[in-house]
Every structure is written in C-alpha cells, then in structure tokens.
Amino acid sequence: MTTPFKRIAFSLSSSLIIIVATIASLPTASFASEIADREVLYWYDPMMPQQKFDKPGKSPFMDMDLVPRYADEAGNGATMSIDPGITQNLGMRLATVQRESMNQSFRAAATLAFNDRDVAIVQARSSGFVERVYDLAPEDVIAKGAPLVDIFVPAWAAAQEEYLAISKVGDAQLLAAAKQRLRLTGMPTETIGQLERSHKAHPVWTVTSPIGGTVKTLDVRQGMTVQAGDSLASVNGLDTVWLEIAVPEAQVTNLAPGQSITVHLPAFAGEPLEATIQALLSQANLDSRTVRVRAELPNPEQRLRPGMTAEVTLNRNIEHALVVPAEAVIRTGRRALVMLAEAEGRYRPTEVRTGREFGDKTEILEGLDAGQTVVASGQFLLDSEASLRGLTAQTLEDVDHAHGPVLHEAEGTIVSLEDGMVGLSHGPFKTLHMPGMTMAFPVADPSLLAGVQVGSRVRVAVRESDEGLIIEHIETLEAPE
C-alpha cells in the first residue's frame, strides 16, 4: 500500500498561474522509518514560513498542523533539493556569473542650438545720428563684413578736418597728435587709413558685421540718435552649432567629455554625423529628470539650423562588470533575488544588489561572485517552491559574512608607488557612493605590488577599515607603453 504525497507550487506571472504537481509514492513503513531517522530543525506554517516553532502542533494562523523542517532539507539553512528529472521537464537553464567587458550604448533625444560662444555684439563707438539702416531683420543670414547701418558722427568731422589741415603744414609731431585724437574719438583704424589715402573727410561711419551668421537683434532705426556704447546689433555665428542632448539622469554616471556620439537628423536621413561630448551641464531638468549634455557640430555649409531635432547614440566607456542574464533576476518590488545552483541538485535563493542593464544582461554589485551558477530559466517556479518549503533568501549581510570583508571595486591608473602606498587616479567606487579622484591607498600585502608599474591601468578591490580604505586585490588591465 502506498501513500500519495502531492505538492502544488503556485507561481503568479502576469495573469498566468503556473501549477506544477509532483507525485511521488513511497512505502508506508519505509517512509515512517525515514521520518524517525531525520533530524527536525523547527516547525512552521507553510503560509507563514518566516515564523518558526520549537514543537509540533496547530498553526496559530491557519486551521492546519505545523510542518517540520528537516536538517537534510535545509542543508545550510537555505537550500532545497530538486529531482533532476523535474528540472529537466521544466526546461531549466543555468548560467555562470561572469565578469565581462561591457560597452553600453543608448539613445537620447537632442536639439540643435546656436553656439553661444560665437556671438558678436556691435556697439556705437561714438555719438551720432543713424542715417541709414540696411535692409535687414532678425533671423537674416549675413556674411562677414556685411553693412548694417550708416551713422553720421559730428565729432569725427571736426577731428578729420583738423587732421587734414595739419597734414598740409607737415609738422610730424602735430600730425601724430592729430592722429591720436582721431583714435580717441572712436574712429576705426580702417577709417583713419582711408582718410590718410584720400585726404577727404568721412564723417559717416558704415557699421559692418565682424562675423558671418544670423542677425539676432537689430536695435536701431533711421533717424535715431545713438550714444557711444549703445548696442546696435548682435550676430550669432553659424560655422558651428551646439547639440544639446537630454540624457536620463540614471544614464549620466559614466559619461564624460571626450566620449564619442553618433547623431542622426531626420532632415538628413542616412547621413550620420560623428561628434564628441564637450560638457555635462550642471543642472538637471526637474520636470523630465534629464541632464543636458552638450556637443559641438561643424557647420561649414550651414545646413544645420538651430531648432532641428536629432536622435543621438551615446557610447559608454568599456568597463569590466559582474553580470548575469537579466532573466535570472527575480524582482519582488522590495529586493532582487537569484536562484543559486549548487552541487547535487541543490538550489538556494540569494538576495543581490543590481546595477546597470547591458542589453540582456544585468550588472551585479553585491551578492554574487564570478564563477557561481544561477538559474536563468524556471527560477520563478523554484522561488515558489522555496516559499512553500519555508526557505528564506540569503540576505546581502549573510553573503558578506560568509565571504569575509566586503570589497569595493573600481578601475584607475597608478600614478605613484612609494613606501607601500599606491597613488591611484581612480573612477567611482559605486558600492561606496564615492566619486572618482586621485588619492593614495595602503596595501594589505606588499606582494600585491609585484609586477605593478606606474602608468598601469588596473582594477583594485578595497575594504573599509578604521584606518581608511585598504587595497586587498590589484589586477593589471593594461601595462604602460
């Protein structure tokens, strides 16, 4: 005679309920003998697995008996054993935790804008009267040297007549003084040169644009009186334009000036442009939670016009990251879990701290080590089974205690090696929320410095101590040339 035992694991994924039923039959006498020989760690209610009891009895939560947790079921307190045949039927796939060189790229929206560094403000050099305003208006595109306005300057007329009179006398000293007076009235050098060549007074000054570009403002009209220093017009150059990219704040961490970007403009489909990041602007947009990133594009043919939209592909620097398949991570809303696969068909839920997404892979900041094996497919069923068995996930604190002191990693370049101290220009220690900087670190063991040279590109792992950060591991990524 046999006694059937059924275990039904419910796993809710979207709107589908997956029910897995496993039926095993054991002889009654054999089963009773096995139960008697097994060590019981505690009793629990499967509906409230986190609550443990020292003795059997009725559950205070449900109308049911407490269930024993056996030592061989728990293993190290948080593992379970699954029959290999069942895992094969579930189509379970495993994946190895690996440290890989990642090159992440993402897309962002951008707009073209005027280059605010290429602006000319045209001012009146002397007081006078506007005799003519050339046929221009804001947004007109003009060339360098294009005339803007004609201004009659009375002070120039008197100074020029005086200069011409002295030039007939031939007194060099008086002539030099008269020429200096011309300069003091604000007369441009080219106008003085024209006076010397023609020997005729030119009291009307034709104001020209010092650069080519777009007329932004034209603040004068015919018949107006202007004073020295008054603004007449402003011109914005078009030889280069700015590209302002709206980057989500979560993506800004590893962007830096000098990184390459690819620009696609709808106006010029099929003609991607290459540029580099110039600056990450200091203020984020509170409404869209984006940070503006600026690049500069050459515009020799003036095809690019401020206000155009663009789609930009930003390429992040290549980094070494500990990654697992994104599908291996179970997100509960409060934390992230993975199912660790161990020897002899045992599985253990483990809490992890995740970082960035690299396509179909997720960065692991804490909770796993390179070389471990995780379940990449079927892990939700295992998680449901673990919940029914009352297994709790190994927390990050448990992992840290099991693996010794917590290590924090970053990459950098060695700038000095003196008295057992490593001068390192490093990037951010993300798990410490510590930005990149240059500082000196002691090493836990002098043998770590064997083969390390100034100028080497390295990855270091440090631990926190009462004396500060101490290097526990150094890996050379690139030797100096």
Side-chain angles (χ1 to χ4, degrees):
M1 178 179 180
T2 60
T3 303
F5 290 89
K6 296 184 179 180
R7 174 172 293 134
I8 302 179
F10 295 88
S11 176
L12 181 60
S13 175
S14 301
S15 60
L16 299 179
I17 298 179
I18 304 175
I19 303 177
V20 178
T22 303
I23 301 179
S25 298
L26 295 173
T28 303
S30 173
F31 179 77
S33 174
E34 181 181 332
I35 292 296
D37 294 338
R38 299 169 72 184
E39 177 186 357
V40 178
L41 294 178
Y42 55 86
W43 283 260
Y44 68 100
D45 182 338
M47 303 304 294
M48 298 287 289
Q50 65 274 18
Q51 186 67 45
K52 301 175 183 179
F53 299 90
D54 296 332
K55 57 182 69 175
K58 283 286 186 181
S59 168
F61 311 109
M62 304 289 291
D63 184 19
M64 61 182 293
D65 291 331
L66 297 174
V67 178
R69 162 67 60 230
Y70 297 104
D72 58 350
E73 274 189 340
N76 62 6
T79 64
M80 61 181 176
S81 179
I82 302 294
D83 184 86
I86 297 176
T87 60
Q88 185 175 1
N89 291 337
L90 292 176
M92 189 180 299
R93 290 187 294 105
L94 303 180
T96 303
V97 183
Q98 297 179 337
R99 187 175 296 280
E100 299 181 5
S101 296
M102 309 303 298
N103 185 11
Q104 186 183 26
S105 63
F106 63 95
R107 294 186 175 184
T111 56
L112 298 184
F114 284 104
N115 182 347
D116 288 342
R117 295 194 182 98
D118 188 14
V119 177
I121 305 296
V122 182
Q123 293 179 306
R125 301 171 69 95
S126 301
S127 300
F129 308 97
V130 178
E131 289 195 341
R132 177 184 178 185
V133 177
Y134 287 81
D135 189 18
L136 294 172
E139 302 300 328
D140 283 349
V141 177
I142 59 175
K144 180 179 179 179
L148 302 175
V149 296
D150 289 343
I151 300 177
F152 175 76
V153 185
W156 288 10
Q160 287 179 354
E161 291 295 344
E162 179 184 348
Y163 176 83
L164 292 175
I166 293 174
S167 66
K168 293 178 182 179
V169 175
D171 189 316
Q173 262 187 325
L174 290 176
L175 191 61
K179 189 173 182 179
Q180 181 63 21
R181 185 184 173 192
L182 294 177
R183 295 192 186 97
L184 293 176
T185 61
M187 190 178 298
T189 303
E190 58 271 17
T191 303
I192 296 175
Q194 184 182 6
L195 175 65
E196 291 176 324
R197 291 189 300 272
S198 66
H199 298 284
K200 291 183 180 180
H202 300 279
V204 176
W205 173 38
T206 299
V207 182
T208 59
S209 175
I211 63 172
T214 298
V215 177
K216 297 291 287 184
T217 60
L218 189 62
D219 301 323
V220 292
R221 290 294 180 265
Q222 187 171 342
M224 287 180 58
T225 300
V226 295
Q227 303 297 321
D230 284 354
S231 177
L232 305 178
S234 63
V235 181
N236 212 134
L238 288 174
D239 290 340
T240 59
V241 293
W242 278 349
L243 181 72
E244 296 198 345
I245 312 160
V247 177
E249 57 184 9
Q251 303 283 1
V252 173
T253 308
N254 295 316
L255 296 180
Q259 287 183 236
S260 63
I261 60 175
T262 304
V263 186
H264 299 271
L265 289 94
F268 307 107
E271 298 182 39
L273 303 177
E274 298 296 326
T276 57
I277 294 175
Q278 273 197 340
L280 277 68
L281 303 188
S282 57
Q283 186 172 2
N285 186 303
L286 296 176
D287 297 326
S288 61
R289 305 313 306 165
T290 57
V291 174
R292 285 190 302 153
V293 175
R294 177 182 294 160
E296 188 173 291
L297 293 173
N299 189 26
E301 300 177 4
Q302 297 186 358
R303 295 194 308 163
L304 307 180
R305 301 180 181 275
M308 284 182 170
T309 60
E311 184 181 74
V312 177
T313 302
L314 297 99
N315 301 309
R316 285 184 170 179
N317 287 336
I318 296 178
E319 292 188 352
H320 296 275
L322 194 68
V323 295
V324 298
E327 60 183 338
V329 181
I330 304 171
R331 303 184 188 274
T332 68
R334 293 183 303 168
R335 59 180 181 171
L337 304 175
V338 297
M339 295 298 299
L340 267 179
E342 299 182 340
E344 300 177 357
R346 306 194 71 86
Y347 301 89
R348 171 159 47 98
T350 299
E351 182 181 2
V352 295
R353 188 160 71 89
T354 59
R356 297 156 296 173
E357 300 290 332
F358 299 96
D360 60 351
K361 295 185 179 180
T362 298
E363 180 184 21
I364 301 297
L365 301 178
E366 284 186 76
L368 295 176
D369 291 325
Q372 290 183 296
T373 303
V374 298
V375 180
S377 176
Q379 71 274 27
F380 288 98
L381 297 177
L382 292 181
D383 184 50
S384 299
E385 180 71 8
S387 297
L388 286 173
R389 295 192 184 190
L391 297 183
T392 57
Q394 187 177 27
T395 66
L396 291 174
E397 292 181 358
D398 296 335
V399 174
D400 294 341
H401 180 75
H403 291 80
V406 180
L407 297 182
H408 309 276
E409 294 189 346
E411 295 183 10
T413 302
I414 294 179
V415 296
S416 65
L417 294 169
E418 296 180 4
D419 301 327
M421 300 289 288
V422 176
L424 186 67
S425 176
H426 63 80
F429 285 94
K430 298 182 181 64
T431 54
L432 286 173
H433 304 290
M434 176 180 174
M437 63 183 70
T438 299
M439 60 183 293
F441 296 86
V443 293
D445 186 346
S447 63
L448 294 174
L449 301 180
V452 176
Q453 306 174 50
V454 173
S456 295
R457 181 75 180 169
V458 298
R459 179 171 60 245
V460 299
V462 302
R463 64 174 172 85
E464 295 180 283
S465 71
D466 294 337
E467 291 76 29
L469 299 177
I470 300 176
I471 294 179
E472 289 282 349
H473 176 73
I474 301 179
E475 178 185 350
T476 301
L477 302 177
E478 182 180 346
E481 295 181 358

